[in-house]
Amino acid sequence: SQAHLQKMNDILDRIAASIEQRKSGDPSKSYVAKLFSQGEDVMLKKIGEEATETVLAAKSGDKLHLVRETTDLWFHCMIVLAQHGLGARDVLAEMQRREGISGLDEKAARKK
């Protein structure tokens, strides 16, 4: 439903706003500020770690563990997006653009 979609967008917007608010905070008091103070390589390493943990959770068959690891992965992706002045809405806009396009056609179009 439209209300459900708006609620999901609101959650993403609140998380993005929280990241923006905390990124220049005190690294000793904020995990987000700590990541930003450590630089992009540390952020990217966290994405790699979380992606691996997500794969392992999927292989384990534990659905709750998979959801929790995917949440960690998405959160760390949002951190890197924020580092580049982007957010979840940018990703959602690209997903909307691709909606209804065959994945094979979309991939082929990127190669041109």
Side-chain angles (χ1 to χ4, degrees):
S1 77
Q2 194 65 32
H4 181 71
L5 284 176
Q6 186 56 50
K7 196 172 188 178
M8 294 299 106
N9 281 335
D10 291 348
I11 290 167
L12 290 171
D13 287 345
R14 284 196 306 272
I15 293 167
S18 177
I19 290 168
E20 281 301 313
Q21 178 187 4
R22 295 177 185 176
K23 71 182 186 182
S24 58
D26 182 347
S28 69
K29 295 180 180 164
S30 164
Y31 177 70
V32 171
K34 181 178 177 185
L35 283 175
F36 275 90
S37 73
Q38 292 174 328
E40 189 171 54
D41 285 350
V42 170
M43 295 173 188
L44 296 174
K45 184 176 178 212
K46 280 301 296 179
I47 287 179
E49 290 169 7
E50 298 301 344
T52 300
E53 290 171 10
T54 300
V55 169
L56 294 172
K59 295 292 275 180
S60 78
D62 181 336
K63 291 180 180 180
L64 179 58
H65 189 209
L66 175 57
V67 168
R68 288 179 171 162
E69 293 302 341
T70 301
T71 300
D72 291 344
L73 177 58
W74 286 13
F75 178 76
H76 287 88
C77 287
M78 289 181 73
I79 297 278
V80 171
L81 286 167
Q83 170 79 357
H84 290 271
L86 298 165
R89 293 240 174 184
D90 297 292
V91 176
L92 292 173
E94 177 61 11
M95 287 183 145
Q96 184 176 31
R97 185 192 71 79
R98 294 183 188 189
E99 190 176 17
I101 299 172
S102 155
L104 295 175
D105 291 345
E106 199 283 328
K107 196 167 185 174
R110 275 189 270 161
K111 291 181 181 175
K112 292 178 183 170

